[in-house]
Amino acid sequence: QVQLVESGGGLVQPGGSLRLSCAASGITFDIYAMGWYRQAPGKQRELVAVISSGGSTTYANSVKGRFTISRDNAKNTVYLQMNSLKPEDTAVYYCTARRSTFYWGQGTQVTVSS
């Protein structure tokens, strides 16, 4: 059974930082591309960042230079370091694992507000 468990969300002031973690189980982690998506209220779910099995990264234009995705294959965990957070980053953030099948986590809420 595949499980993706996100943690690290919460309430932060504009300009602050958060680090999201996603612990994966039930997959051969190091051969999967791992990613983060987000969905804000009333908006479609959108890609935030992806890291390939080889470590190549892709970011949405809206987060380039502020967010960093990384992975620790020894811990079966993917991270999203989020700096210089803005109110428009407020959303539920979802971890994903993709190879021939696409898996989703349950999501973690990130709220950026003063």
Side-chain angles (χ1 to χ4, degrees), residues 8-20 38 66-67 80-91 93 109-114:
L11 173 64
V12 63
Q13 292 188 341
S17 298
L18 282 175
R19 189 176 81 154
L20 305 183
R38 67 185 181 187
R66 300 188 298 123
F67 290 11
L80 185 68
Q81 178 66 44
M82 306 186 293
N83 298 329
S84 302
L85 282 161
K86 305 175 181 180
E88 51 263 43
D89 294 318
T90 295
Y93 284 71
Q109 176 70 46
V110 171
T111 303
V112 185
S113 175
S114 55

Side-chain angles (χ1 to χ4, degrees), residues 29-37 47-59 68-73 77-80 95-98:
F29 182 82
D30 57 357
I31 66 173
Y32 274 73
M34 301 298 296
W36 291 93
Y37 283 69
L47 173 69
V48 176
V50 175
I51 184 166
S52 72
S53 58
S56 299
T57 57
T58 302
Y59 295 93
T68 303
I69 189 171
S70 61
R71 64 191 296 160
D72 185 337
N73 290 342
T77 300
V78 61
Y79 304 97
L80 185 68
C95 174
T96 64
R98 182 179 66 191

